[in-house]
Structure formats: structure tokens, C-alpha cells
Amino acid sequence: MIRKIIRIDEERCNGCGLCAQACHEGAIEMVNGKARLTREDYCDGLGDCLPACPTGAIRFEEREAPAYDEKAVQAAKAKKQAAEGSVLPCGCPGSQSRAIARPEASCSCAETEAAPVQSQLSQWPVQIKLAPVNAPYFDGASLLIAADCTAYAYGNFHNRFIRGRVTLIGCPKLDEGDYTEKLTEILRRNDIRSLTIVRMEVPCCGGIERAAKTALQQSGKFIPWQVVVISTDGRILSE
């Protein structure tokens, strides 16, 4: 079929790779130091790569080319992301793994209009079910595994528990399945330095504590750990 598609002038290409990064479909790859359109059926013809090119080596043209195959693109994305451990196989954008840089600041526990309390979350996603089993932010991390109600019950949760830790949350009563296998792989595959488990005082919340302890045992690693129990009225009962 005749359609609009990109053309890359390899003589003008300086090999920076910015176009390959900008191509969300994965149609462009770096080959022998030059950008090349390796999958014409992955090119949607929208040209996100054009403004990324500093040398003007990319332009549109209309020519004979295979039709854009959206299903193949999505399948390739999901396969790549699953292999990298960045998202679940479903390819959900909300599962995209990323670190969140926070400026160094002293603890601010009181919020005012002029000085709102700063979030201390250092990575995404936080749900245990959505978290990758391997990510750069896990290396050398202090890991927090918390029942999700704890952040609502304990008012200073960010500064007291999330600050300086990688955070994973879940609800053993509402989530389907068990967390043990996932947590075991996270502990086994990464250099986790310490583990803090925060749960509510209610009996059903014991599931997240059991899963974390079992995962620690099954990982075969010796990692310092502690359990903190929060009351339903927001007090720390034990730690």
C-alpha cells in the first residue's frame, strides 16, 4: 500500500540514537552506529522521531510500505517490557517502573498552605501485584512492605516509614492470590539491605506479615527485618 512513512538519511545521521528512543513503537534501531528503520510495519507515520533528530536526517515520504500493524507493536512492547521486568505482561502504562528523585530536605511533619508536606515516595509502582521483580531502585534498598490501610491510619506515614525506603503495598484480604512468590523473587534477585513490615492490628492484616516473613526465608538471604503494628486509631503499638 502507498502511505506516509519516515525515511532516514544515514549520511546525515550522527548515531546519537535519540530517534530510536523517541520511537515508541520500536520501529527504529541502531545498526552499525546508524539509525535504521528496521520494521516498516511498526512505523505509524506520526513522526515522533522527527523533532528528536538533531541533524535533520529524518523526513516523511509517501511510498509503498506495509500497513502499520498495531497489534504486532503492542505485542512487541509487552514482550520487551516483561523481559526487562518493568511492567506486567499486560503492558499497562500505570505499571511502568520508574524511580522518583526527591530533593534532600529535613523532615517536615506539619503541613501549611505555604509549606505542604513533601511526598517521600521514591519509586513507582507501589502495589505488590504491579511491582517488577527486578528494578535498579531495588539495589541496595531498604524495603518497606506495608498493608495499604497503614498509610491512612498513621498520619506521619511518609516521613516515618516511606522516607529513605522503596515501598510496596498490598491488602491480603482484598487482593486475590498470595504475595509470597512475588516477594520471594524480589528479595532473591535484588540486593535488599533491610526489610520493614508495617501492618494493622486487625487479624486479617497478618497475611502480609506472613507473606513477607515466608518470602525472606525462601529467598535464602539473611536480611535485617522488623515488624511495626499500627492501631486502627493511628498509634504505633509495637516495633
Side-chain angles (χ1 to χ4, degrees), residues 153-154 160-161 198-202 227-239:
Y154 188 73
R160 176 64 176 79
F161 295 111
V198 183
R199 53 161 293 187
M200 296 298 297
E201 63 175 327
V202 295
V227 178
V228 180
V229 180
I230 307 294
S231 69
T232 53
D233 60 358
R235 294 173 292 116
I236 295 179
L237 297 179
S238 65
E239 59 180 317

Short mmCIF file of all heavy atoms in Angstrom, two decimals, residues 153-154 160-161 198-202 227-239:
data_model
loop_
_atom_site.label_atom_id
_atom_site.label_comp_id
_atom_site.label_asym_id
_atom_site.label_seq_id
_atom_site.Cartn_x
_atom_site.Cartn_y
_atom_site.Cartn_z
N ALA A 153 -4.14 5.18 58.41
CA ALA A 153 -4.30 5.19 59.86
C ALA A 153 -3.21 6.02 60.55
O ALA A 153 -3.49 6.74 61.51
CB ALA A 153 -4.29 3.76 60.40
N TYR A 154 -1.98 5.92 60.06
CA TYR A 154 -0.87 6.61 60.72
C TYR A 154 -0.56 7.90 59.97
O TYR A 154 -0.10 7.89 58.83
CB TYR A 154 0.36 5.69 60.76
CG TYR A 154 1.49 6.26 61.59
CD1 TYR A 154 1.40 6.28 62.98
CD2 TYR A 154 2.62 6.79 60.99
CE1 TYR A 154 2.43 6.81 63.76
CE2 TYR A 154 3.65 7.31 61.75
CZ TYR A 154 3.55 7.33 63.13
OH TYR A 154 4.56 7.85 63.90
N ARG A 160 7.80 8.88 58.49
CA ARG A 160 8.21 7.85 59.44
C ARG A 160 8.62 6.55 58.76
O ARG A 160 9.56 5.88 59.19
CB ARG A 160 7.07 7.59 60.43
CG ARG A 160 7.33 6.45 61.42
CD ARG A 160 8.49 6.76 62.34
NE ARG A 160 8.67 5.72 63.35
CZ ARG A 160 9.27 4.57 63.10
NH1 ARG A 160 9.77 4.32 61.90
NH2 ARG A 160 9.39 3.67 64.07
N PHE A 161 7.92 6.18 57.67
CA PHE A 161 8.17 4.87 57.07
C PHE A 161 8.64 4.90 55.62
O PHE A 161 9.53 4.14 55.23
CB PHE A 161 6.91 4.00 57.19
CG PHE A 161 6.53 3.67 58.59
CD1 PHE A 161 5.39 4.20 59.16
CD2 PHE A 161 7.33 2.84 59.36
CE1 PHE A 161 5.03 3.90 60.47
CE2 PHE A 161 6.99 2.54 60.67
CZ PHE A 161 5.84 3.08 61.23
N VAL A 198 5.03 -3.20 57.80
CA VAL A 198 4.09 -2.39 58.58
C VAL A 198 2.67 -2.92 58.31
O VAL A 198 2.24 -2.98 57.15
CB VAL A 198 4.17 -0.90 58.21
CG1 VAL A 198 3.23 -0.08 59.09
CG2 VAL A 198 5.60 -0.38 58.38
N ARG A 199 1.99 -3.28 59.37
CA ARG A 199 0.67 -3.87 59.25
C ARG A 199 -0.27 -3.24 60.27
O ARG A 199 0.15 -2.59 61.22
CB ARG A 199 0.71 -5.37 59.48
CG ARG A 199 1.39 -5.77 60.79
CD ARG A 199 1.06 -7.16 61.23
NE ARG A 199 -0.34 -7.29 61.60
CZ ARG A 199 -0.86 -8.38 62.15
NH1 ARG A 199 -0.09 -9.42 62.40
NH2 ARG A 199 -2.15 -8.43 62.46
N MET A 200 -1.57 -3.45 60.05
CA MET A 200 -2.57 -3.01 61.00
C MET A 200 -2.73 -4.06 62.10
O MET A 200 -2.32 -5.21 61.94
CB MET A 200 -3.90 -2.77 60.31
CG MET A 200 -3.89 -1.65 59.28
SD MET A 200 -3.52 -0.03 59.96
CE MET A 200 -4.92 0.21 61.07
N GLU A 201 -3.36 -3.68 63.21
CA GLU A 201 -3.56 -4.60 64.33
C GLU A 201 -4.62 -5.67 64.05
O GLU A 201 -4.66 -6.69 64.72
CB GLU A 201 -3.96 -3.83 65.58
CG GLU A 201 -5.30 -3.09 65.45
CD GLU A 201 -5.71 -2.42 66.75
OE1 GLU A 201 -5.41 -2.97 67.83
OE2 GLU A 201 -6.34 -1.35 66.69
N VAL A 202 -5.46 -5.45 63.03
CA VAL A 202 -6.55 -6.39 62.75
C VAL A 202 -5.99 -7.73 62.28
O VAL A 202 -4.97 -7.78 61.57
CB VAL A 202 -7.52 -5.81 61.71
CG1 VAL A 202 -8.22 -4.58 62.27
CG2 VAL A 202 -6.79 -5.43 60.42
N VAL A 227 8.95 -5.74 62.29
CA VAL A 227 7.51 -5.62 62.06
C VAL A 227 6.98 -4.49 62.94
O VAL A 227 7.27 -4.44 64.14
CB VAL A 227 6.77 -6.93 62.39
CG1 VAL A 227 5.27 -6.74 62.18
CG2 VAL A 227 7.28 -8.07 61.52
N VAL A 228 6.22 -3.58 62.32
CA VAL A 228 5.59 -2.49 63.05
C VAL A 228 4.08 -2.67 62.95
O VAL A 228 3.55 -2.89 61.85
CB VAL A 228 6.00 -1.11 62.46
CG1 VAL A 228 5.33 0.02 63.25
CG2 VAL A 228 7.51 -0.96 62.48
N VAL A 229 3.39 -2.59 64.07
CA VAL A 229 1.94 -2.77 64.10
C VAL A 229 1.28 -1.44 64.44
O VAL A 229 1.64 -0.78 65.42
CB VAL A 229 1.53 -3.83 65.15
CG1 VAL A 229 0.00 -3.99 65.16
CG2 VAL A 229 2.20 -5.16 64.84
N ILE A 230 0.31 -1.05 63.58
CA ILE A 230 -0.42 0.20 63.74
C ILE A 230 -1.83 -0.08 64.23
O ILE A 230 -2.49 -1.00 63.73
CB ILE A 230 -0.49 0.97 62.40
CG1 ILE A 230 0.90 1.16 61.79
CG2 ILE A 230 -1.20 2.32 62.60
CD1 ILE A 230 1.82 2.04 62.58
N SER A 231 -2.30 0.70 65.18
CA SER A 231 -3.67 0.53 65.69
C SER A 231 -4.65 1.21 64.74
O SER A 231 -4.28 2.06 63.94
CB SER A 231 -3.79 1.14 67.09
OG SER A 231 -3.70 2.56 67.03
N THR A 232 -5.91 0.85 64.86
CA THR A 232 -6.93 1.43 63.99
C THR A 232 -7.15 2.91 64.28
O THR A 232 -7.70 3.64 63.44
CB THR A 232 -8.27 0.69 64.14
OG1 THR A 232 -8.64 0.65 65.52
CG2 THR A 232 -8.16 -0.73 63.59
N ASP A 233 -6.72 3.39 65.45
CA ASP A 233 -6.83 4.80 65.74
C ASP A 233 -5.52 5.55 65.49
O ASP A 233 -5.35 6.69 65.90
CB ASP A 233 -7.33 5.06 67.16
CG ASP A 233 -6.40 4.48 68.23
OD1 ASP A 233 -5.38 3.86 67.87
OD2 ASP A 233 -6.69 4.66 69.44
N GLY A 234 -4.56 4.89 64.81
CA GLY A 234 -3.38 5.58 64.33
C GLY A 234 -2.17 5.62 65.24
O GLY A 234 -1.28 6.46 65.05
N ARG A 235 -2.09 4.70 66.20
CA ARG A 235 -0.92 4.66 67.07
C ARG A 235 0.00 3.50 66.70
O ARG A 235 -0.45 2.50 66.15
CB ARG A 235 -1.37 4.49 68.53
CG ARG A 235 -2.14 5.66 69.11
CD ARG A 235 -2.68 5.36 70.50
NE ARG A 235 -3.74 4.33 70.45
CZ ARG A 235 -3.64 3.13 71.03
NH1 ARG A 235 -2.53 2.80 71.69
NH2 ARG A 235 -4.64 2.27 70.96
N ILE A 236 1.29 3.66 67.00
CA ILE A 236 2.22 2.55 66.82
C ILE A 236 2.14 1.68 68.07
O ILE A 236 2.49 2.12 69.17
CB ILE A 236 3.67 3.05 66.60
CG1 ILE A 236 3.77 3.83 65.29
CG2 ILE A 236 4.65 1.88 66.61
CD1 ILE A 236 5.14 4.40 65.00
N LEU A 237 1.68 0.43 67.90
CA LEU A 237 1.51 -0.47 69.04
C LEU A 237 2.78 -1.23 69.37
O LEU A 237 3.08 -1.50 70.54
CB LEU A 237 0.38 -1.47 68.75
CG LEU A 237 -1.02 -0.85 68.57
CD1 LEU A 237 -2.02 -1.95 68.27
CD2 LEU A 237 -1.43 -0.06 69.81
N SER A 238 3.54 -1.59 68.33
CA SER A 238 4.80 -2.31 68.57
C SER A 238 5.71 -2.15 67.38
O SER A 238 5.26 -1.97 66.25
CB SER A 238 4.52 -3.80 68.81
OG SER A 238 3.97 -4.40 67.65
N GLU A 239 7.01 -2.19 67.66
CA GLU A 239 8.02 -2.13 66.60
C GLU A 239 9.32 -2.70 67.11
O GLU A 239 9.50 -2.91 68.29
CB GLU A 239 8.19 -0.70 66.10
CG GLU A 239 8.62 0.30 67.13
CD GLU A 239 8.77 1.69 66.54
OE1 GLU A 239 9.32 1.82 65.44
OE2 GLU A 239 8.30 2.64 67.18
#
